[in-house]
Structures are given as structure tokens and as C-alpha cells.
Amino acid sequence: MTAAACARFLSETHRVTLVESDAIGTIGVGEATIPQIALFNQALGIDEAAFLAATGGTYKLGIAFDGWGAPGERYIHAFGTIGRDAGLIAFHHYWLRGRALGLADDLWSYALNARAAYGGRMRPGVNPAQGNGPALPRAYHFDAGRYAAFLRSYAEARGVTRTEGRIEHVERDGATGDIAALRLEGDRSLTGSLFIDCSGLRGLLIGEAMGSGYHDWSRWLPCNRALAVPCENAGPPIPYTRAIARAAGWQWRIPLQHRIGNGIVYCDAHLADERAADILLAHLDGEAQADPRPIRFTTGRRERFWVGNCVAIGLSGGFLEPLESTSIHLIQSGISRLLKLLPGTGSHPALAAEFDRQTIYEYEAILDFLILHYHANRRPEPFWQEVATMAIPDKLAARVALFRARGEIVREHDELFTEPGWLQLMIGQGIMPEAWHPLADAITPGDLKDFMASLAGIVARDVAAMPAHADLLARLPKAA
Ligand SMILES: Cc1cc2nc3c(=O)[nH]c(=O)nc-3n(C[C@H](O)[C@H](O)[C@H](O)COP(=O)(O)OP(=O)(O)OC[C@H]3O[C@@H](n4cnc5c(N)ncnc54)[C@H](O)[C@@H]3O)c2cc1C
């Protein structure tokens, strides 16, 4: 992604070299995304249909969470809006009152993406002939290996030089401390002015060479291992990711055109590796296509993301578990931030400080959203009891208190998660406000009932008229 974006935007001014090692390979997971990926692809001029065809991709309308609040419960974090705001206040205040009066349905009856997801429907664009509504807010599921290959061709076609081989040593300038060169196996050396560390969890340049430390967040997100395994499809792919709570973690299901990506994320203090593998393999929709592949991680972030002439993008900068599919987004927003703050020659501590400030803000906002998935639970297992009773960051505690008191949600600056995202998370995990905004009392119960019924009807009719997700996929061009 980084090389492709540099190829797209820097080819007039910079020479870009990409170093990869086939012997090391990539982490090979990371197949569910959030809607911002469409912006990245558009910026690179990548056509959606061609992208889906090349990567075995499917549409994603949200993430369904099974058993997170309590066993047997289910909710979805659907992209897009819910209901319709009226007057000065958000829709959910009317919904809260309607629910208290027995006049409103389940929150997700008013969410187009949620209904379309569960109904296996999707609308990728406006079709004026059918008089339908706008395209649904969507992300994608895709085969990570195919996306990497697709972007590699893209980057090479635009002048990026790819160098195959293992980096064995990082040479630093004795005077400035900057990276002077990378020494590769076979006695090769690469010099450069800016080094972007995309080396994955190891953080070869930013951590090992430049000494940027690591803030460990496992006190809030204690899962530290994963097992990943693909399996065969057992029916048409669904247009949403599934995150299913298990005894000491959770399992993902990511539907692609040609297979399902599965994995279990767990905490080794509560679940042995063999038992995790048994749970994973016992809950596949189709035949496993490989043995489960183990991955270890520590949730957290680098102290600094930009040190001297080295910038961390991707897992070298930190790890947040894939509960809300945010890592690929963090890569893409990191790239866009770097391009905006791109240094010229010489040292740029002010640019580096600003890059760090924005990146840390983004990481911490996502961190709070993830913590709440764990913390707001009523599950009986020791792992879940532990996270339910842990101390949470003050800012998150204040956010929950504000919502509980009066259903208020405040989204600061350009935080990643929107008000409907927080709303679905909190209601879905059983945090119910004690009151609603007083202006929701301004309409009569009869009008409130009509308002709710008309919105639910619009959603239901709109979804019924949408094409089936499977039919849309069947109509995609075939990949070369
Ligand atoms: C269990 C799990 C599930 C995930 N699921 C999701 C998800 O659903 N959605 C999402 O957005 N993200 C997800 N992620 C995160 C996602 O996988 C990563 O953000 C993404 O794959 C990018 O990884 P990366 O490029 O930083 O590192 P890697 O994929 O590890 O790539 C590192 C690269 O550096 C090269 N390299 C490393 N060392 C050397 C060396 N010494 N010499 C030469 N080359 C070297 C490697 O060859 C490789 O090309 C998940 C992560 C995990 C662990």
C-alpha cells in the first residue's frame, strides 16, 4: 500500500525502492476493512469491480457481534446512519422514548446497512431507472495476498523498484543518528533519504535500529495470540464480517468469493493453544483448507512513529486487534499523513512531532472503542469477568457515563468512529441510557409511533428492492 501510494503521488519527485523478503513473507491476515479503504483505492485510481475481481473480494456492510454483551445476544455495527435525526436532536433520542412507550422496534430496524446485511442484499450505486436510493456505505473483504500482488504490480508499473532479499543490518549515520543504509543479504547495500518501516510486528527499523519503545496496552486488551485458517465456502458469501465471542477471546469469519477467512484471537493466560485450535476448527462453516497458523502479538503502539529519517507504517508502528478491522485503515491514514507532512532534505523534528501527535490520537481513539467491546459484557467466564471489572481509561469512562445518563454521544474532532458507531456498540452491549433528550417529548405518542413506523417501512422496502449480494458478485468481471 505504501509503495503503491508513493508511486501514485511521488513519481515526479522521488525514486522509490520496496524491499521485501519472500523467505520472511507477510503476516498473511488482514482481510476485513472499513469504508475508508474505498477512498484509498479511489485516490490510486483503482476501479471497484476490478479490485473485487482481482482480490476475490466481497462487499462488507458492517460487523456482526455474537455473544459479546452476553451469550445468545447479537448486534451489528453497521456502517452508515440509523433512522433520521429530527429537529435539533439525534434519532436515537426519539427511539429511546419510543422504546420506553412500546412504540419502537429494535434499533437496527431503522438501519439500512444492518437490514441489507442480514438480508444478503447490497446496492453499490444509484440506478436512476429503478428510482433507488444512494449507494450503501460499504467496505470490503478481500484476499490479503491477492491485494498485495495487485498493488505490487500497480507500484512496479509506476516506477517502483522492488528488491527481493532479507535486510541483515541497518547502518546509522554516526553524526545525525539517521539511517544511512540498509545492508541486505548477499552483500548488497541500499542508501536513501527517507526510510519507511513496513517490516511488520518486529519493527526492524523504527524499533530495533532507531530505538523507539513500545507502549504495552495489554492491561486493557489482554488477547495476545491468534490462529488463522481458511475454509471452504458453504453457500453464498454474506456481506458482513462476523466476530463471535468465545470463552477467552473471539473468532472471526471473513467471507470471500472463493473461501472464508477464519481465526481465533485469545489470551494465553486463559486458553491453551491446543484448546484454541480445537474451538476454531469445531466452528468452521466449511472444510478447513490448511492447518491453523499461529500469530503472537502484544497490543500497543510505538512511543514515536517518526524518528530521524524513519517513519513507521503498519504493524511496525503498533498493533490493535482486528475486532473493528482498523489496521489497514491505520496504514492508509498513516500514508496520507506522511504524504501531507512529507519532508524535504534535512532534519524535520516539527514534522515528525506532528506526525506522532496525530497518529497517537488516532490510535488512542480506536483503543477506547475496542476496550468497550470487552469491558461492557455480562458473560460468565473468568476471562470476561476480568475485563468487565478492569479499570478503563478516564476518557472512555466519561463517555460511557454521559451516554448512560442521557444518551449523549460526543465525537471529538476527526475521531474515526462516528456517533452511530458508538451508539450501536453501547446499545448492542447492553448500556442503556436512563433518559433521553427532553426535546424528544415534543411530539405526541401518536406522531412518534407514525415516525418510527414510517422509517422502519422505508428501510424494509428499500432493502427488499436491492439486488442480492451474491448476484452482484456473480456479475463481476473475471480476474485475469
Ligand atoms: C490475527 C490478525 C488479524 C488481522 N485482521 C485484520 C483485519 O481483519 N483487518 C485489518 O485491517 N487488519 C487486520 N490485521 C492487521 C493486518 O494484518 C496488517 O495491518 C497488514 O497485514 C499489514 O501488515 P504489515 O505490512 O505491517 O506487516 P507484514 O504483513 O508482516 O509485512 C512485513 C513485510 O516486511 C518484510 N520484511 C520483514 N522483515 C524483513 C527483513 N528483515 N528483510 C526484508 N524484508 C522484511 C516482509 O517480507 C513483509 O513483506 C490483522 C492482524 C492480525 C495479527
Side-chain angles (χ1 to χ4, degrees):
M1 286 182 261
T2 307
C6 288
R8 166 73 182 81
F9 294 105
L10 306 182
S11 60
E12 301 289 316
T13 48
H14 293 69
R15 271 187 299 125
V16 181
T17 304
L18 165 68
V19 185
E20 289 183 297
S21 161
D22 283 338
I24 295 173
T26 62
I27 196 160
V29 281
E31 310 203 307
T33 56
I34 55 174
Q36 284 80 349
I37 187 174
L39 302 177
F40 180 81
N41 283 351
Q42 274 162 25
L44 266 54
I46 294 170
D47 172 69
E48 183 178 78
F51 158 76
L52 289 171
T55 61
T58 61
Y59 288 106
K60 170 177 172 183
L61 298 174
I63 310 174
F65 290 91
D66 291 286
W68 284 79
E73 290 184 2
R74 177 181 228 210
Y75 72 96
I76 186 165
H77 172 189
F79 305 136
T81 55
I82 299 190
R84 188 187 303 148
D85 297 350
L88 290 178
I89 57 173
F91 166 77
H92 69 270
H93 291 286
Y94 295 100
W95 176 78
L96 287 168
R97 180 172 172 232
R99 189 179 153 277
L101 297 176
L103 303 175
D105 290 338
D106 161 275
L107 180 68
W108 289 271
S109 299
Y110 309 95
L112 201 54
N113 267 46
R115 288 288 144 224
Y118 287 146
R121 308 267 175 168
M122 168 63 197
R123 182 170 58 221
V126 184
N127 183 344
Q130 291 172 355
N132 64 18
L136 297 186
R138 78 306 201 124
Y140 315 107
H141 307 112
F142 55 75
D143 184 312
R146 292 189 189 179
Y147 188 44
F150 183 80
L151 291 179
R152 174 180 165 185
S153 309
Y154 177 103
E156 286 183 319
R158 286 161 183 78
V160 168
T161 308
R162 181 182 183 276
T163 299
E164 163 59 36
R166 186 188 292 263
I167 298 164
E168 289 182 332
H169 181 67
V170 179
E171 281 173 17
R172 295 182 65 185
D173 183 299
T176 63
D178 280 0
I179 297 177
L182 306 177
R183 257 219 321 272
L184 273 63
E185 60 190 343
D187 227 8
R188 290 173 294 159
S189 183
L190 277 176
T191 55
S193 50
L194 180 69
F195 291 82
I196 307 178
D197 184 352
C198 303
S199 66
L201 290 171
R202 188 172 156 196
L204 186 64
L205 275 55
I206 193 78
E208 291 183 19
M210 303 304 272
S212 177
Y214 199 75
H215 276 282
D216 181 336
W217 283 336
S218 42
R219 65 186 173 286
W220 293 308
L221 296 174
C223 288
N224 55 2
R225 292 189 183 200
L227 294 167
V229 68
C231 78
E232 287 171 8
N233 267 329
I238 54 173
Y240 58 94
T241 309
R242 289 186 64 193
I244 305 152
R246 300 281 179 226
W250 61 282
Q251 182 173 343
W252 78 75
R253 275 196 201 150
I254 300 178
L256 309 182
Q257 290 180 46
H258 53 298
R259 62 168 168 81
I260 301 176
N262 306 273
I264 185 164
V265 173
Y266 59 101
C267 173
D268 66 348
H270 288 268
L271 192 65
D273 299 337
E274 306 73 45
R275 180 82 190 107
D278 290 346
I279 293 172
L280 174 64
L281 294 173
H283 294 93
L284 299 182
D285 282 349
E287 190 77 18
Q289 294 177 324
D291 290 330
R293 200 163 51 80
I295 301 166
R296 292 181 181 202
F297 51 81
T298 304
T299 296
R301 67 157 173 88
R302 287 282 158 204
E303 236 157 66
R304 295 164 67 197
F305 293 81
W306 180 334
V307 182
N309 63 344
C310 174
V311 179
I313 299 278
L315 297 178
S316 65
F319 182 78
L320 287 165
E321 61 172 271
L323 201 43
E324 287 280 352
S325 317
T326 42
S327 282
I328 291 170
H329 168 71
L330 283 169
I331 294 174
Q332 295 173 344
S333 68
I335 293 168
S336 127
R337 187 173 302 127
L338 176 60
L339 292 178
K340 279 188 195 134
L341 296 172
L342 192 72
T345 49
S347 109
H348 296 277
L351 295 177
E354 180 57 19
F355 186 90
D356 282 349
R357 190 191 65 76
Q358 291 182 21
T359 311
I360 291 167
Y361 180 82
E362 189 173 37
Y363 262 77
E364 289 181 350
I366 296 173
L367 171 69
D368 278 3
F369 199 70
L370 299 187
I371 291 173
L372 197 56
H373 289 72
Y374 284 102
H375 183 62
N377 88 82
R378 287 157 281 119
R379 292 188 63 96
E381 300 93 338
F383 168 82
W384 290 97
Q385 292 286 306
E386 244 172 54
V387 287
T389 50
M390 69 185 169
I392 58 173
D394 291 348
K395 195 170 157 204
L396 176 61
R399 196 190 281 273
V400 173
L402 185 64
F403 185 71
R404 221 186 267 285
R406 231 277 304 278
E408 289 307 315
I409 303 169
V410 178
R411 181 184 182 197
E412 273 183 7
H413 312 299
D414 43 7
E415 272 179 357
L416 180 61
F417 292 105
T418 60
E419 289 88 343
W422 281 100
L423 175 70
Q424 293 173 83
L425 168 61
M426 293 202 261
I427 297 287
Q429 304 244 169
I431 302 173
M432 284 308 291
E434 286 154 15
W436 51 84
H437 195 290
L439 286 180
D441 291 325
I443 58 173
T444 64
D447 286 348
L448 183 59
K449 186 177 176 198
D450 291 348
F451 179 54
M452 289 292 158
S454 102
L455 286 177
I458 289 169
V459 168
R461 282 192 298 281
D462 202 358
V463 169
M466 289 177 193
H469 178 236
D471 292 346
L472 287 174
L473 297 179
R475 289 205 292 271
L476 287 173
K478 294 289 159 259

